[in-house]
Amino acid sequence: MSGADDLHDVAADETIIGCLDIAKPRSFFVYAGAGSGKTRSLVEAIRTVCERQGRDLSLSGQKIGVITYTNAACDEIKQRLEFDPRVEVSTIHAFAWSLISGYDNDIRGWLAGRLLQDIAELEEAQAKGRAASKAAADRARSIESKRHRHENLGSIIRFIYSPTGDNQTRDSLNHAEVIAMTADFLASKPGLRRLLVTRFPVLLIDESQDTSRQLMDVLLDVEAAHRDTFCLGLFGDMMQRIYADGKERLAEAIPEAWARPRKSMNHRCPTRVVELINRVRQDDDGEKQLPRSDAAAGTVRLFIAPQRADKSATEAAVAARMQAITGDEGWSEGSDAIKTLALEHLMSARRFGFERFFGPLYAVERIRTSFLQGTGAGIGFFTREVLPLVEALRAADRFAVASIVRKTSPLLDSKALEEAGEGQAEVLAAAKAACDGLLALVSGHAMPTAREVLRYIAETRLFTIPDVLAPFTVPDEPTDDEGASGTDEEELNLKTELGGWRQALEAPLDEIERYDRYVSGTSRFDTHQGVKGLEFPRVMVIVSDEEARGFMFAYDKLFGAKGKSDTDLKNEAAGKETTIDRTRRLFYVTCSRAEDSLAVVYYAETVDAARAAMVKQGWFAEEEIEIVA
C-alpha cells in the first residue's frame, strides 16, 4: 500500500468532515468514481463527528441518518461503525417508513385518492377498449380488486409495512406507495419537514444518483428551506446511474452554496482498466481517475465475433485465450472464478433460460426498477413464498415446510386456528393436503406454468394472493382475441402491468427460479445493478445489439460502428438522455468491476467494420483487439 495514494484524496475527506459540523452544517455533493473508497470516507467522517460531537447528539436525542441502496450495504456500514446508536443506517424504503409510520389518517386519505385515480384510468381504458378481450377481462378484475381495497380502507386502524417483505395483507402498504407517499407528505406537511431536520441534523445518501427522483427533489427542497440547521450529504457518481427512476443531471441541480469535494483515486482497478474507463467517460463528463502507484498493469482485451457465432463456444474460447495471455489459471474454461456480465438483461434472460417470464415484465416501464431489484408483491409471492415452499417440499424437509406455511399461510394464521377450536387437526390436515397437492403439481411430467401454480394456490388458500395477481386466479372466459392482428388492443395491453403479468405467468415456474438467482446475484451471470460496488479478479463483459434487440441500449452506436439516429440527435439537442448515454454508463459500471483482468466480447454485425471502428475510437490498442472466428 502506498501512503501517498492513501493521502491523495485527504482534502476531499477533510471537506466532508468539515461539512458535518452540527453547529454549522454545510450540504455537499461528493463525486466518488468507481473504486474510490467512498464507503470508507463515509464511515470515517461519521466516526470523526461522533468523536467530536457525539455527546451533543446523545443529549439532544438526534442522530446522523445514512441512507444506502441495499440491505447488504446497510449491514456493512453498521458493522464498520460498530452499531453506534447515534447513527441510523437504513435503506431508502426503511427510512421513508420511519418518517410516515403512524400517520394513519393521512395514509388512508392518500391511498383513497390514489385508488380512485387508478380506477378512473382503468375505467377510461375499459370504455375505449373492446368488451370481449382478455385485456378487458384483466381490467375488470383489477377494477374490482381496487374497489374492494378502497371500500376496506375505513376499517383499517393502523397501516403496516415491511421494507424487506412483500406486504400482502389488507392493512399493508407496498414499496412504491411508501416512497411516493413520503415524497408527497414531505412536500405538503411543514411539520414533517421539521421533524426530519430535527431528528436528523445530518442526512447522508449513498448512491444518490439512483435515489428516487421524486424523493430526491423534495429532499433538495427541504435542504434549501433549512440550510442553517440541516446538512444533506450526497455521495455518488452520475456515470454509475443505472435505474431509470433516479434523478437525471443531479449534479447540475446542486446549489452553488454546497461543497463539491472530489475523490479521484481508484483503489480497485489495475492501471490499464483505469485508463479504459477514463476514456469511456471522456466524451460524457470528462472526469478522470488516477490508478494507485502500486497498482498492477492489468490486462484488457476486446474480442470481436460474428453475431451468429455459437455464444458458449466463443466465450469458452475467449476464456482460454485470456488464460494464455495472463497466465491466470482462473480463466480456465468453465471456471466459476470468471464473473460474466451481460450488459443487457434480455441477453442474460435468454442465456440463463428465463426470457419468457422476464421479457414481458421488463418491458413495463412503470415497474422496471422494482422488477430488477426483485421487489414488488407479485414477484415476492413467487420468490419468497412459493419457491421456498416448493424447495422444502422437494427436499422432504418437514420442519422448513411447517415454518413457511405457519409464517404466511392464511390456512394456519392465528385467527383461523382460533376459529377452528377443537377442529384444529382438520385445519392442519387441510394445510398438509394443500402442500402435498403443490408437490404433486410441480413433480409432474411437465413443469407447470406460473399461472397454473397461482390458480392452485388461490383454490387451496395456501398463500394470500397479491392484488396484482388476483385477476389471473380464475380461468379466462372466451374472448374474441383469437386471430386478432398485431395492432390489436391486446398488443397495447402488453405495455401495462396487467398485460405484462398475463404473458409472464405463462412461463414455466422454474423460469422464475432462474430469474430469482439472477437478480439476487447468485448465478454466474450477474446484473449491472447487482455488481455495482462489488469487484472481481476476472470480468468478462458481453456486448451484443442483436441479443439486446436495441431495447434501451445501443452498443454499435457507442463503439462507433453505427451512426446516431435522428431520435438520438433530437434528444441530444434537447439535453435529454440518449440510448448512447445509457449504454455508456452500463459499460462503465461493468468494466470498472475488474481487479486484475478484463475481457470484452463484442458480437458484431460486421466484424471487420467493428474492428476498424474500435481502432478509430481509441479505447483499445490495436494489439488488444482480437477477432474470434
Side-chain angles (χ1 to χ4, degrees), residues 224 232 325 385 446:
L232 182 61
I325 293 169
E385 292 189 335

Side-chain angles (χ1 to χ4, degrees), residues 6 9-18 37 40-42 45 261 263:
D6 294 332
D9 289 330
V10 71
D13 290 336
E14 287 176 351
T15 298
I16 294 168
I17 291 170
R40 183 179 63 82
S41 291
L42 187 150
K263 291 179 66 65

Side-chain angles (χ1 to χ4, degrees), residues 10-235:
V10 71
D13 290 336
E14 287 176 351
T15 298
I16 294 168
I17 291 170
C19 289
L20 299 186
D21 183 347
I22 294 168
K24 194 177 180 182
R26 185 185 181 192
S27 296
F28 63 89
F29 177 83
V30 55
Y31 158 72
S36 61
K38 173 189 59 180
T39 304
R40 183 179 63 82
S41 291
L42 187 150
V43 168
E44 289 304 318
I46 293 172
R47 278 183 181 150
T48 302
V49 173
C50 286
E51 286 171 7
R52 295 176 180 176
Q53 299 177 291
R55 188 167 182 274
D56 294 337
L57 283 170
S58 298
L59 289 173
S60 64
Q62 294 177 307
K63 293 189 177 187
I64 295 173
V66 182
I67 297 175
T68 65
Y69 216 90
T70 64
N71 289 307
C74 190
D75 292 340
E76 181 188 355
I77 292 173
K78 284 179 181 177
Q79 288 170 2
R80 289 203 199 183
L81 290 169
E82 298 175 334
F83 302 93
D84 193 317
R86 296 163 296 191
V87 186
E88 188 165 309
V89 189
S90 58
T91 61
I92 189 69
H93 290 93
F95 177 80
W97 181 239
S98 75
L99 291 179
I100 67 171
S101 174
Y103 287 82
D104 297 293
N105 288 333
D106 295 295
I107 291 171
R108 187 178 296 106
W110 188 94
L111 276 177
R114 176 62 65 94
L115 286 166
L116 290 175
Q117 181 183 334
D118 290 347
I119 291 167
E121 289 173 1
L122 285 165
E123 287 178 333
E124 183 181 354
Q126 200 73 315
K128 292 178 180 177
R130 290 200 333 273
S133 67
K134 290 176 182 175
D138 292 347
R139 286 193 294 263
R141 292 171 189 152
S142 184
I143 289 169
E144 182 184 355
S145 176
K146 289 180 184 295
R147 279 182 178 156
H148 183 65
R149 188 183 183 196
H150 184 266
E151 289 165 5
N152 282 327
L153 285 176
S155 63
I156 298 173
I157 298 170
R158 190 167 187 81
F159 290 90
I160 63 170
Y161 169 72
S162 166
T164 56
D166 297 310
N167 303 294
Q168 293 177 22
T169 57
R170 195 168 54 89
D171 55 354
S172 64
L173 304 167
N174 67 45
H175 303 300
E177 287 169 345
V178 166
I179 294 296
M181 209 179 296
T182 302
D184 284 350
F185 287 4
L186 278 172
S188 61
K189 299 181 185 300
L192 188 61
R193 290 178 174 224
R194 286 193 296 272
L195 174 68
L196 167 62
V197 299
T198 302
R199 187 191 296 177
F200 301 107
V202 172
L203 181 61
L204 308 177
I205 304 180
D206 196 10
E207 305 291 4
S208 59
Q209 73 279 352
D210 275 323
T211 300
S212 161
R213 178 186 309 116
Q214 190 181 6
L215 204 50
M216 181 57 71
D217 282 338
V218 76
L219 286 173
L220 290 172
D221 287 344
V222 170
E223 190 278 337
H226 298 272
R227 189 159 289 167
D228 293 339
T229 56
F230 179 60
C231 166
L232 182 61
L234 307 182
F235 291 74

